[in-house]
Amino acid sequence: MKEWLINIRPPKYLRYLFFIGYCWYRSFRSERDEAHNSAMILLGTFHGILLLSIVFMLIPEQIFTNNKYYTLIPVIILVFLLFYYLFSYQNKWQNFVAEFKHIKRKQQRIGLIYLVFLQFWCFLFG
């Protein structure tokens, strides 16, 4: 089981967006040591909002008898665990940074536009 968890890799677009977020956070002096965690939380937040909006659209209203916001806790835990195993488990994030380190600063700024577009799209859809 442990080998299987080590070999899990996120899709390439997610690794690229992680690298862009990592480089952006790394440019701040206060985030220098924890840039990988900040980028992971950023991407997890976007995808968590997207997942919650899909759950709220697909599950009928009758299932939420008391409060539909009780669904937030399991979804947040699920997204946190998923992104932990995709990026932080056994320091996988270092391999993803090394995979894209050849990208120049100008291309990273264009990637930052993609990251902002993803954020806008997730919030709009959510």
Side-chain angles (χ1 to χ4, degrees), residues 69-113:
Y69 296 105
Y70 288 128
T71 312
L72 287 173
I73 295 171
V75 169
I76 289 171
I77 291 171
L78 175 74
V79 169
F80 174 77
L81 288 175
L82 177 68
F83 275 80
Y84 171 76
Y85 282 111
L86 287 178
F87 293 105
S88 287
Y89 186 73
Q90 299 285 329
N91 290 327
K92 292 182 193 179
W93 64 271
Q94 293 173 346
N95 296 332
F96 305 146
V97 170
E99 179 182 1
F100 294 105
K101 70 179 180 182
H102 66 278
I103 296 177
K104 296 180 175 29
R105 279 280 181 201
K106 189 173 183 179
Q107 289 175 323
Q108 289 176 13
R109 288 187 189 128
I110 293 171
L112 190 60
I113 293 171

Side-chain angles (χ1 to χ4, degrees), residues 46 65 88:
F46 296 159
T65 54
S88 287

